[in-house]
Amino acid sequence: MSIRDRLQSWGNTNTDEAMTLVMEKNISHEKVSYHEIKSRIHQKMLDRVNLTAMEKLPTDRLISEIKTLVEQLLNEEETPLNLSERNRLVEDIQHEVLGLGPLEPLLADPTISDILVNTYNQVYVERRGKLELTDVHFADNRHLLKIIDRIVSRIGRRVDESSPMVDARLSDGSRVNAIIPPLALDGPLLSIRRFSVVPLKMDDLINYKSLTPAMAEVIAGLVKSKSNILISGGTGSGKTTLLNIMSSFIPHSERVVTIEDAAELQLQQPHVVRLETRPPNVEGKGEVTQRALVRNSLRMRPDRVIIGEVRGAEAMDMLQAMNTGHEGSMATVHANTPRDALSRVENMVNMAEMNLPAKAIRQQICSAISVVVQVSRMPDGKRKLLSLQEITGMEGDIITMQEIFTFTQTGTDEFGVIQDTSMPPVFVPKFAERLKKFGVPLRDELFDPTRILK
């Protein structure tokens, strides 16, 4: 007997059986038909409203109008939803019309740092460095594709079979990457790397024990003294976050030009010029690369050039900028160690097809970059500044480096949290004299080898 037939025979059942039938109905309705009801109500609403007129309404008025219309449609259909379900459906349709559908509750949660959509029915989030599976899902892959198209179209990008990969951003600066069939075999994939609504500060990193006060003092001094800095690390290690924080020490009197594939830096200075690359159009024309933007930026009278991530031939132009009066420039690069970071920069310079000998490239790197900062995401999910190394010169064909600060892992506690210590340097770095000239001398106690920095 179906649930409908059993419900019709309530007169011949006792109260307990009736309650059981109600519970079964609610469970079945939630699993089977909620998304069907939402889709149907959403479509009816779109059929009744003038979308052009809706776009002209203030947001508060639009939210109220959508709620009134959805409730009216539910009453007309006599849809069997309880109060909680009705409120949820109204909210979901508001998200569909005004926002990013099922993703809106996740975007509103400040504890979530990453949202990873693996096709329509599987959504993971990262909280405190750990991945968690959520109960959020889309109606189907077509629904997910609509949300992806809504994201990328807002910044003039496109995603389709001819261009199945795209980098984009949300209004809050969060980084978005989408890849769709035929490259994604099981369905569309969406990754959102979020940024804090309130940008983190250096004190926050100290409180999170991502670095020590001594490290923070040295980094602030390096930025103020216009040293060229390269931030190295893996995916999700906090490179962009650290770059944002470091940029807060740039004097407000300087003109800063930022160059990115997808604009995500959140510099707080008043004089910031932001540039973003452009992909080719449908005909394969109109592409503007990072290298072209770096070259153009040098004609814009910048005091500093900040490149969100160096990943190609623009490395050559970046080194030339650092060597020709644009001191204090910064960039990030994907690498596992500071030494690997320099090797990657060398390889990317070769991509510029300048046919320079290895020694000449390394001399350019040596004279351009002062410090390499290595960051990493640890197994317990925390981000750490693992190493700060100074480039000291060359010995033959080899770039020489010396480590100023480093974290050393000492163990793991019963909760899986990594225990570590930071040893202070036993020598004064070469850049200390430069910092002194810029009025930010380093305190002598920073180089006391008897201290262990927690």
Side-chain angles (χ1 to χ4, degrees), residues 139-161:
D140 51 35
N141 281 330
R142 289 179 59 192
H143 183 201
L144 175 54
L145 276 172
K146 288 180 180 178
I147 298 299
I148 291 174
D149 186 62
R150 186 177 300 175
I151 293 172
V152 301
S153 62
R154 289 175 177 175
I155 61 168
R157 301 275 172 107
R158 64 185 177 87
V159 59
D160 50 38
E161 286 191 6

mmCIF file of all heavy atoms in Angstrom, residues 139-161:
data_model
loop_
_atom_site.group_PDB
_atom_site.id
_atom_site.type_symbol
_atom_site.label_atom_id
_atom_site.label_comp_id
_atom_site.label_asym_id
_atom_site.label_seq_id
_atom_site.Cartn_x
_atom_site.Cartn_y
_atom_site.Cartn_z
ATOM 1 N N ALA A 139 20.468 20.589 -7.913
ATOM 2 C CA ALA A 139 19.410 19.744 -8.468
ATOM 3 C C ALA A 139 19.987 18.757 -9.479
ATOM 4 O O ALA A 139 19.619 17.582 -9.494
ATOM 5 C CB ALA A 139 18.336 20.612 -9.123
ATOM 6 N N ASP A 140 20.898 19.219 -10.320
ATOM 7 C CA ASP A 140 21.551 18.372 -11.319
ATOM 8 C C ASP A 140 22.741 19.140 -11.871
ATOM 9 O O ASP A 140 23.034 20.266 -11.447
ATOM 10 C CB ASP A 140 20.580 17.965 -12.434
ATOM 11 C CG ASP A 140 19.838 19.159 -13.023
ATOM 12 O OD1 ASP A 140 20.451 20.255 -13.114
ATOM 13 O OD2 ASP A 140 18.662 19.017 -13.394
ATOM 14 N N ASN A 141 23.447 18.544 -12.826
ATOM 15 C CA ASN A 141 24.623 19.208 -13.385
ATOM 16 C C ASN A 141 24.265 20.465 -14.170
ATOM 17 O O ASN A 141 25.058 21.412 -14.234
ATOM 18 C CB ASN A 141 25.393 18.232 -14.277
ATOM 19 C CG ASN A 141 26.259 17.273 -13.473
ATOM 20 O OD1 ASN A 141 26.739 17.619 -12.393
ATOM 21 N ND2 ASN A 141 26.462 16.077 -13.993
ATOM 22 N N ARG A 142 23.075 20.499 -14.763
ATOM 23 C CA ARG A 142 22.647 21.709 -15.481
ATOM 24 C C ARG A 142 22.483 22.867 -14.509
ATOM 25 O O ARG A 142 22.837 24.004 -14.820
ATOM 26 C CB ARG A 142 21.329 21.448 -16.208
ATOM 27 C CG ARG A 142 21.456 20.519 -17.407
ATOM 28 C CD ARG A 142 20.107 20.293 -18.055
ATOM 29 N NE ARG A 142 19.507 21.540 -18.509
ATOM 30 C CZ ARG A 142 18.249 21.663 -18.899
ATOM 31 N NH1 ARG A 142 17.448 20.599 -18.888
ATOM 32 N NH2 ARG A 142 17.788 22.816 -19.306
ATOM 33 N N HIS A 143 21.959 22.561 -13.332
ATOM 34 C CA HIS A 143 21.809 23.590 -12.292
ATOM 35 C C HIS A 143 23.177 24.133 -11.888
ATOM 36 O O HIS A 143 23.383 25.353 -11.786
ATOM 37 C CB HIS A 143 21.093 22.968 -11.084
ATOM 38 C CG HIS A 143 20.826 23.936 -9.982
ATOM 39 N ND1 HIS A 143 20.589 23.544 -8.689
ATOM 40 C CD2 HIS A 143 20.798 25.291 -9.959
ATOM 41 C CE1 HIS A 143 20.398 24.604 -7.935
ATOM 42 N NE2 HIS A 143 20.509 25.683 -8.687
ATOM 43 N N LEU A 144 24.139 23.236 -11.686
ATOM 44 C CA LEU A 144 25.499 23.655 -11.326
ATOM 45 C C LEU A 144 26.125 24.494 -12.438
ATOM 46 O O LEU A 144 26.791 25.506 -12.172
ATOM 47 C CB LEU A 144 26.353 22.427 -11.027
ATOM 48 C CG LEU A 144 27.845 22.658 -10.749
ATOM 49 C CD1 LEU A 144 28.037 23.671 -9.627
ATOM 50 C CD2 LEU A 144 28.518 21.332 -10.401
ATOM 51 N N LEU A 145 25.908 24.104 -13.684
ATOM 52 C CA LEU A 145 26.452 24.868 -14.819
ATOM 53 C C LEU A 145 25.893 26.293 -14.852
ATOM 54 O O LEU A 145 26.608 27.245 -15.182
ATOM 55 C CB LEU A 145 26.139 24.150 -16.133
ATOM 56 C CG LEU A 145 27.102 23.041 -16.552
ATOM 57 C CD1 LEU A 145 26.560 22.294 -17.764
ATOM 58 C CD2 LEU A 145 28.479 23.615 -16.861
ATOM 59 N N LYS A 146 24.623 26.449 -14.505
ATOM 60 C CA LYS A 146 24.018 27.782 -14.483
ATOM 61 C C LYS A 146 24.695 28.660 -13.439
ATOM 62 O O LYS A 146 24.933 29.847 -13.672
ATOM 63 C CB LYS A 146 22.520 27.679 -14.195
ATOM 64 C CG LYS A 146 21.697 27.128 -15.348
ATOM 65 C CD LYS A 146 20.217 27.066 -14.983
ATOM 66 C CE LYS A 146 19.386 26.504 -16.131
ATOM 67 N NZ LYS A 146 17.942 26.405 -15.757
ATOM 68 N N ILE A 147 24.993 28.079 -12.277
ATOM 69 C CA ILE A 147 25.651 28.847 -11.220
ATOM 70 C C ILE A 147 27.064 29.232 -11.654
ATOM 71 O O ILE A 147 27.510 30.368 -11.450
ATOM 72 C CB ILE A 147 25.687 28.038 -9.911
ATOM 73 C CG1 ILE A 147 24.254 27.745 -9.413
ATOM 74 C CG2 ILE A 147 26.485 28.773 -8.847
ATOM 75 C CD1 ILE A 147 23.441 28.982 -9.112
ATOM 76 N N ILE A 148 27.784 28.290 -12.279
ATOM 77 C CA ILE A 148 29.143 28.588 -12.760
ATOM 78 C C ILE A 148 29.096 29.711 -13.797
ATOM 79 O O ILE A 148 29.896 30.650 -13.755
ATOM 80 C CB ILE A 148 29.786 27.324 -13.362
ATOM 81 C CG1 ILE A 148 30.072 26.295 -12.252
ATOM 82 C CG2 ILE A 148 31.069 27.672 -14.100
ATOM 83 C CD1 ILE A 148 30.567 24.957 -12.772
ATOM 84 N N ASP A 149 28.144 29.622 -14.724
ATOM 85 C CA ASP A 149 28.026 30.656 -15.760
ATOM 86 C C ASP A 149 27.698 32.013 -15.142
ATOM 87 O O ASP A 149 28.195 33.048 -15.607
ATOM 88 C CB ASP A 149 26.942 30.255 -16.757
ATOM 89 C CG ASP A 149 26.872 31.202 -17.940
ATOM 90 O OD1 ASP A 149 27.869 31.285 -18.672
ATOM 91 O OD2 ASP A 149 25.839 31.870 -18.107
ATOM 92 N N ARG A 150 26.892 32.013 -14.082
ATOM 93 C CA ARG A 150 26.554 33.271 -13.405
ATOM 94 C C ARG A 150 27.797 33.905 -12.785
ATOM 95 O O ARG A 150 27.974 35.116 -12.822
ATOM 96 C CB ARG A 150 25.502 33.009 -12.332
ATOM 97 C CG ARG A 150 24.970 34.261 -11.655
ATOM 98 C CD ARG A 150 23.886 33.941 -10.660
ATOM 99 N NE ARG A 150 22.755 33.287 -11.293
ATOM 100 C CZ ARG A 150 21.707 32.802 -10.625
ATOM 101 N NH1 ARG A 150 21.669 32.881 -9.309
ATOM 102 N NH2 ARG A 150 20.724 32.222 -11.269
ATOM 103 N N ILE A 151 28.669 33.066 -12.219
ATOM 104 C CA ILE A 151 29.885 33.579 -11.586
ATOM 105 C C ILE A 151 30.812 34.196 -12.625
ATOM 106 O O ILE A 151 31.278 35.325 -12.478
ATOM 107 C CB ILE A 151 30.614 32.453 -10.827
ATOM 108 C CG1 ILE A 151 29.779 31.987 -9.619
ATOM 109 C CG2 ILE A 151 31.988 32.917 -10.367
ATOM 110 C CD1 ILE A 151 30.336 30.755 -8.932
ATOM 111 N N VAL A 152 31.095 33.445 -13.689
ATOM 112 C CA VAL A 152 32.117 33.891 -14.644
ATOM 113 C C VAL A 152 31.612 35.028 -15.532
ATOM 114 O O VAL A 152 32.395 35.876 -15.957
ATOM 115 C CB VAL A 152 32.617 32.712 -15.500
ATOM 116 C CG1 VAL A 152 33.208 31.624 -14.618
ATOM 117 C CG2 VAL A 152 31.515 32.144 -16.383
ATOM 118 N N SER A 153 30.308 35.067 -15.802
ATOM 119 C CA SER A 153 29.788 36.111 -16.686
ATOM 120 C C SER A 153 29.844 37.483 -16.024
ATOM 121 O O SER A 153 29.886 38.508 -16.708
ATOM 122 C CB SER A 153 28.352 35.790 -17.096
ATOM 123 O OG SER A 153 27.496 35.749 -15.971
ATOM 124 N N ARG A 154 29.868 37.522 -14.686
ATOM 125 C CA ARG A 154 29.899 38.804 -13.986
ATOM 126 C C ARG A 154 31.186 39.569 -14.235
ATOM 127 O O ARG A 154 31.230 40.789 -14.090
ATOM 128 C CB ARG A 154 29.722 38.581 -12.480
ATOM 129 C CG ARG A 154 28.307 38.158 -12.082
ATOM 130 C CD ARG A 154 28.232 37.850 -10.602
ATOM 131 N NE ARG A 154 26.866 37.512 -10.185
ATOM 132 C CZ ARG A 154 26.535 37.110 -8.971
ATOM 133 N NH1 ARG A 154 27.479 36.981 -8.038
ATOM 134 N NH2 ARG A 154 25.282 36.815 -8.676
ATOM 135 N N ILE A 155 32.264 38.853 -14.575
ATOM 136 C CA ILE A 155 33.539 39.544 -14.825
ATOM 137 C C ILE A 155 33.961 39.409 -16.290
ATOM 138 O O ILE A 155 35.134 39.554 -16.630
ATOM 139 C CB ILE A 155 34.650 39.008 -13.899
ATOM 140 C CG1 ILE A 155 34.896 37.511 -14.134
ATOM 141 C CG2 ILE A 155 34.331 39.277 -12.457
ATOM 142 C CD1 ILE A 155 36.157 37.016 -13.471
ATOM 143 N N GLY A 156 32.991 39.105 -17.148
ATOM 144 C CA GLY A 156 33.269 39.073 -18.572
ATOM 145 C C GLY A 156 34.000 37.838 -19.048
ATOM 146 O O GLY A 156 34.572 37.849 -20.141
ATOM 147 N N ARG A 157 33.993 36.776 -18.244
ATOM 148 C CA ARG A 157 34.621 35.527 -18.688
ATOM 149 C C ARG A 157 33.530 34.598 -19.208
ATOM 150 O O ARG A 157 32.333 34.829 -19.032
ATOM 151 C CB ARG A 157 35.374 34.865 -17.524
ATOM 152 C CG ARG A 157 36.478 35.748 -16.911
ATOM 153 C CD ARG A 157 37.766 35.618 -17.666
ATOM 154 N NE ARG A 157 38.777 36.574 -17.218
ATOM 155 C CZ ARG A 157 39.842 36.261 -16.505
ATOM 156 N NH1 ARG A 157 40.044 35.009 -16.120
ATOM 157 N NH2 ARG A 157 40.720 37.191 -16.171
ATOM 158 N N ARG A 158 33.944 33.485 -19.823
ATOM 159 C CA ARG A 158 32.976 32.517 -20.335
ATOM 160 C C ARG A 158 33.498 31.116 -20.090
ATOM 161 O O ARG A 158 34.709 30.896 -19.951
ATOM 162 C CB ARG A 158 32.740 32.735 -21.834
ATOM 163 C CG ARG A 158 33.989 32.484 -22.670
ATOM 164 C CD ARG A 158 33.780 32.821 -24.136
ATOM 165 N NE ARG A 158 35.007 32.639 -24.893
ATOM 166 C CZ ARG A 158 35.384 31.486 -25.431
ATOM 167 N NH1 ARG A 158 34.620 30.420 -25.295
ATOM 168 N NH2 ARG A 158 36.516 31.397 -26.110
ATOM 169 N N VAL A 159 32.584 30.175 -20.038
ATOM 170 C CA VAL A 159 32.948 28.769 -19.911
ATOM 171 C C VAL A 159 31.965 27.967 -20.759
ATOM 172 O O VAL A 159 30.747 28.060 -20.593
ATOM 173 C CB VAL A 159 32.949 28.319 -18.438
ATOM 174 C CG1 VAL A 159 31.595 28.522 -17.785
ATOM 175 C CG2 VAL A 159 33.409 26.879 -18.302
ATOM 176 N N ASP A 160 32.507 27.211 -21.717
ATOM 177 C CA ASP A 160 31.690 26.362 -22.577
ATOM 178 C C ASP A 160 32.594 25.267 -23.135
ATOM 179 O O ASP A 160 33.749 25.137 -22.716
ATOM 180 C CB ASP A 160 31.033 27.179 -23.697
ATOM 181 C CG ASP A 160 32.043 28.054 -24.446
ATOM 182 O OD1 ASP A 160 33.188 27.587 -24.665
ATOM 183 O OD2 ASP A 160 31.708 29.193 -24.798
ATOM 184 N N GLU A 161 32.089 24.485 -24.076
ATOM 185 C CA GLU A 161 32.874 23.359 -24.588
ATOM 186 C C GLU A 161 34.148 23.815 -25.287
ATOM 187 O O GLU A 161 35.157 23.111 -25.278
ATOM 188 C CB GLU A 161 32.017 22.517 -25.549
ATOM 189 C CG GLU A 161 30.970 21.681 -24.835
ATOM 190 C CD GLU A 161 30.315 20.673 -25.767
ATOM 191 O OE1 GLU A 161 30.762 20.571 -26.926
ATOM 192 O OE2 GLU A 161 29.374 19.999 -25.337
#
